[in-house]
Amino acid sequence: MPHTVITLAHPFDFARWRAATRDLAGRHVPTDAITWQVATPDAPPPPPPSGENSAPFRIPRETMQLAADVIQSALPDRFALAYGLILAHVIDSAPDAADLARMHEAAETVRAESLHLHQNLFSLMQPEGEGGTWHGTLDARTHAPESNARFITYQLSLAPWRLTLPDRELCWNGRKLLDGPADAPTPIAFNSLPPPAVPVVTDLDIERITSLRAVALAAKTCLVCPMARHATQTVFGEGQTTARMMFVGEQPGDKEDLAGRPFVGPAGQLFDRALEEAGIRREDAYVTNTVKHFKFQRRGTRRIHEKAGRDEIRACAPWLAAERRLIRPHVLVMLGATAASALLGRTVTIGRERSRPIGLEDGTTGLVTVHPSFLLRQPDEASRTREYERFVADLRLAASHLAPTDA
């Protein structure tokens, strides 16, 4: 079998390693027939193989994460070890016991350094000067700092930062991630990094994040509750950061899960129509949900909405609290009992509390109304018309509580 040379963009290039592994392991290329090397600054790597002639395969999440952890390590043969782990799974053989032991030991070191960075970030990093830049020093033995660059960036609210490491400097200049010698760092693509050994949201102090965009980016990585592993993606809120009206529903539906945006399905289209009739421009408001992932049951090819439970609401509460803290709306409209109960901290019956302004502890005026999906469930046209008009009246009532300068 001819020898294959795979050139990676940098010493922890997980993206190219994965693309090459998908091709080579799919063709059962043995480990000793591959050489893994890192490109030099004056010779960029060629495109990775397409994998068109390889048999597809699936790898358990835990196995792929172990491979990613190994690639973050300092082992000189880490790419070959990680490849051998995947190949063994593809051809249904046991990995070499000595190699497996080395990989687990390396992964433990990577995990320990990741946890140390997460739990001590604000003692490691300090504000530098008056420009909003942070700087810190870390005695890292692995490439865990690079894989935790997202955590650092989100936790520091997207502000520029520099982390001095024993043989290199890792920094975020507000636009790009740079890594390498302090006098000649090179750009590193976030999407080329191995997934961190510790999830981004672990130990993330959401209350200290001052950028809504940073919160939204962090939420996209969230896998706290099981529901997140089945949904297509996180559906975060959207709208103006200066919005004076905030609308909160229960959770994204099927259309929202696929689009990655809140209130774009049938209920969302009805909501948009009602907003327009009430004289409220959606682009001037902030629209979100209590729960950020779609919870559903499969019935054949269909995905049927399932009501969010207490655990999902609790898991998503920090994200909703951050949206509310950073938006600071004057009027908070709770669409449905789930949103109202979560935000008011008690069981809410729509019939008792609908259309009644509520003074909230932060000075916001709250108002409870139905969720737009309630209108779609009405049994006949007369009921739909009546409930729709009442919903529009609730939206007008909410808008009336904006100060004249905010209207």
Side-chain angles (χ1 to χ4, degrees), residues 193-212:
L193 301 172
V198 178
V200 170
V201 296
T202 301
D203 302 309
L204 189 72
D205 189 345
I206 300 171
E207 292 184 2
R208 295 185 72 163
I209 300 178
T210 58
S211 161
L212 185 65

Side-chain angles (χ1 to χ4, degrees), residues 358-378:
I358 304 168
L360 303 178
E361 73 284 352
D362 63 352
T364 304
T365 298
L367 188 128
V368 176
T369 187
V370 296
H371 192 281
S373 61
F374 170 78
L375 310 177
L376 297 174
R377 296 195 299 270
Q378 296 306 300

Side-chain angles (χ1 to χ4, degrees), residues 32 36 77 98 104 107 143 161 164 193 196 207 211 217 220 230 244 254 264-265 296 304 311 315 344 379:
D32 58 8
W36 302 88
D77 56 345
H104 279 294
H143 288 290
W161 54 265
T164 301
L193 301 172
E207 292 184 2
S211 161
L217 289 169
K220 290 182 181 299
H230 302 292
R244 291 296 172 258
D254 180 74
V264 295
F296 60 90
I304 307 300
D311 290 343
L344 298 177

Side-chain angles (χ1 to χ4, degrees), residues 244-281:
R244 291 296 172 258
M245 293 192 76
M246 182 173 178
F247 295 88
V248 183
E250 179 198 331
Q251 65 166 304
D254 180 74
K255 299 296 185 184
E256 289 80 4
D257 175 69
L258 297 174
R261 298 181 54 217
F263 286 85
V264 295
Q269 294 168 21
L270 192 59
F271 175 60
D272 285 348
R273 177 182 147 203
L275 284 176
E276 184 177 359
E277 288 196 29
I280 302 168
R281 299 200 322 161

Side-chain angles (χ1 to χ4, degrees), residues 119-315:
Q119 295 167 0
N120 298 280
L121 184 66
F122 285 105
S123 60
L124 294 168
M125 305 287 284
Q126 299 295 324
E128 184 180 57
E130 298 182 359
T133 298
W134 295 73
H135 177 247
T137 300
L138 181 64
D139 184 20
R141 294 175 292 161
T142 71
H143 288 290
E146 282 84 356
S147 286
N148 283 283
R150 279 192 174 93
F151 172 86
I152 302 171
T153 304
Y154 301 159
Q155 184 64 87
L156 299 182
S157 304
L158 305 182
W161 54 265
R162 293 187 303 118
L163 185 60
T164 301
L165 303 164
D167 58 348
R168 62 197 188 279
E169 186 169 84
L170 177 65
C171 71
W172 161 253
N173 65 8
R175 297 176 295 105
K176 294 180 180 179
L177 185 67
L178 303 167
D179 188 67
D183 59 345
T186 57
I188 299 292
F190 274 107
N191 61 8
S192 73
L193 301 172
V198 178
V200 170
V201 296
T202 301
D203 302 309
L204 189 72
D205 189 345
I206 300 171
E207 292 184 2
R208 295 185 72 163
I209 300 178
T210 58
S211 161
L212 185 65
R213 181 166 174 262
V215 174
L217 289 169
K220 290 182 181 299
T221 73
C222 187
L223 296 173
V224 171
C225 62
M227 177 175 67
R229 298 186 181 276
H230 302 292
T232 303
Q233 59 191 312
T234 302
V235 181
F236 205 71
E238 68 175 18
Q240 297 290 334
T241 56
T242 57
R244 291 296 172 258
M245 293 192 76
M246 182 173 178
F247 295 88
V248 183
E250 179 198 331
Q251 65 166 304
D254 180 74
K255 299 296 185 184
E256 289 80 4
D257 175 69
L258 297 174
R261 298 181 54 217
F263 286 85
V264 295
Q269 294 168 21
L270 192 59
F271 175 60
D272 285 348
R273 177 182 147 203
L275 284 176
E276 184 177 359
E277 288 196 29
I280 302 168
R281 299 200 322 161
R282 175 160 171 166
E283 55 266 33
D284 293 335
Y286 187 83
V287 182
T288 190
N289 283 295
T290 307
V291 170
K292 309 305 183 189
H293 290 102
F294 178 35
K295 184 178 182 181
F296 60 90
Q297 289 184 342
R298 286 202 177 273
R299 295 181 188 171
T301 58
R302 298 177 63 204
R303 303 190 301 173
I304 307 300
H305 167 275
E306 185 177 359
K307 186 174 181 178
R310 184 177 303 173
D311 290 343
E312 289 93 8
I313 293 170
R314 186 184 299 115

Side-chain angles (χ1 to χ4, degrees), residues 270 274 332-337 340-341 344 346-358 366-378 383-398 401:
L270 192 59
L332 178 64
V333 182
M334 294 161 268
L335 303 170
S341 298
L344 298 177
R346 54 183 170 80
T347 301
V348 171
T349 302
I350 297 293
R352 274 203 308 266
E353 307 204 39
R354 181 178 183 178
S355 310
R356 178 170 61 85
I358 304 168
L367 188 128
V368 176
T369 187
V370 296
H371 192 281
S373 61
F374 170 78
L375 310 177
L376 297 174
R377 296 195 299 270
Q378 296 306 300
S383 299
R384 284 192 289 274
T385 299
R386 181 179 65 252
E387 290 299 337
Y388 175 77
E389 291 176 351
R390 190 178 176 192
F391 180 62
V392 172
D394 280 344
L395 299 184
R396 290 195 179 111
L397 176 61
H401 284 271

